[in-house]
Amino acid sequence: MNYNIIIFPGSNCDYDAYYVTKNLMRDEVEYVWHKDTELKNPDCVIIPGGFSYGDYLRAGAIAKFSPIMNEVVSFTQKGGLVIGICNGFQVLTETRLLPGALLQNKSLLFICKHQQVKVVNTSTPFTNAIIKDSILDIPIAHNEGNYYIDNDGLKSLQDNDQIVFQYCDNNGIIDDSTNPNGAVMNIAGIVNKKGNVLGMMPHPERSSDPTCGVTDGQQIFLSIKNFVEK
């Protein structure tokens, strides 16, 4: 399968995503510069983490105006897969490919640590190879990861089974004590209504190589491969 990884000024997880998809998953990967006007025949587009445009105005707010984002939107409308990780999630909400917004962490502090997340939806292209309610160790590193959506939007997410990951502890407990950033309902990742666009704050590319001490993130990339190649 073929991945395209979008690079904005300030992206800093692009090579991590390249390393995992190319060297661990053995997939074809192409970088795509933000000023490009065409994608390179991808099965899945990755919008990586970082600080696109220095997070000026709001995280992801300027990146949505990059020329390549028109192609990304068109790609999703045709059913193409897109995964936005951390800053990529922020870009997807700013682009309105996903509902809601990512606010500053409730603590007002940058958080960088290992974090457990429960996989509550395994019917997506990004989680189909994972057992429902599995608890994954996937690191987080963000200042604006506090997912917010109003009550009507939250009901729509629940009615359409769009919540994919929720922050929890080692025992799968989901409550305020296991919520690292104040996100509504401990939400760590969602999909759009069609299910082909995923945004998640945790970094699966940072928990895929065995040298990192944890490989739970591989399950996300294995699910994508399984969906594309089945």
Side-chain angles (χ1 to χ4, degrees), residues 77-219:
Q77 291 171 343
K78 297 171 186 172
L81 302 181
V82 174
I83 174 172
I85 301 168
C86 197
N87 186 228
F89 189 5
Q90 295 159 344
V91 173
L92 291 174
T93 57
E94 290 289 340
T95 312
R96 300 301 183 213
L97 286 173
L98 290 173
L102 280 309
L103 308 181
Q104 191 169 19
N105 298 336
K106 188 176 181 180
S107 66
L108 305 183
L109 299 174
F110 187 92
I111 303 170
C112 181
K113 66 171 188 171
H114 281 269
Q115 175 65 50
Q116 282 66 44
V117 294
K118 180 179 281 189
V119 185
V120 296
N121 181 350
T122 57
S123 62
T124 81
F126 311 93
T127 53
N128 65 83
I130 307 174
I131 297 172
K132 187 173 174 28
D133 292 333
S134 291
I135 301 167
L136 307 182
D137 181 347
I138 305 183
I140 57 173
H142 56 247
N143 191 56
E144 291 91 6
N146 177 2
Y147 181 76
Y148 173 78
I149 194 164
D150 63 22
N151 289 335
D152 289 342
L154 179 60
K155 184 176 186 307
S156 179
L157 287 182
Q158 294 171 311
D159 290 347
N160 293 288
D161 205 16
Q162 291 175 250
I163 300 171
V164 180
F165 302 110
Q166 289 177 280
Y167 300 112
C168 67
D169 64 11
N170 288 323
N171 297 312
I173 302 299
I174 297 171
D175 60 22
D176 288 346
S177 69
T178 62
N179 189 340
N181 52 32
V184 169
M185 273 190 66
N186 288 43
I187 289 174
I190 61 170
V191 289
N192 62 346
K193 286 183 180 178
K194 291 172 63 175
N196 62 317
V197 179
L198 169 71
M200 61 186 298
M201 289 311 298
H203 286 263
E205 79 282 12
R206 295 184 184 178
S207 60
S208 291
D209 190 291
T211 58
C212 295
V214 60
T215 59
D216 289 358
Q218 282 193 19
Q219 297 187 53

Side-chain angles (χ1 to χ4, degrees), residues 11-25:
S11 295
N12 64 13
C13 298
D14 42 330
Y15 189 76
D16 295 346
Y18 184 97
Y19 175 82
V20 170
T21 50
K22 183 72 173 180
N23 296 352
L24 299 182
M25 298 294 111

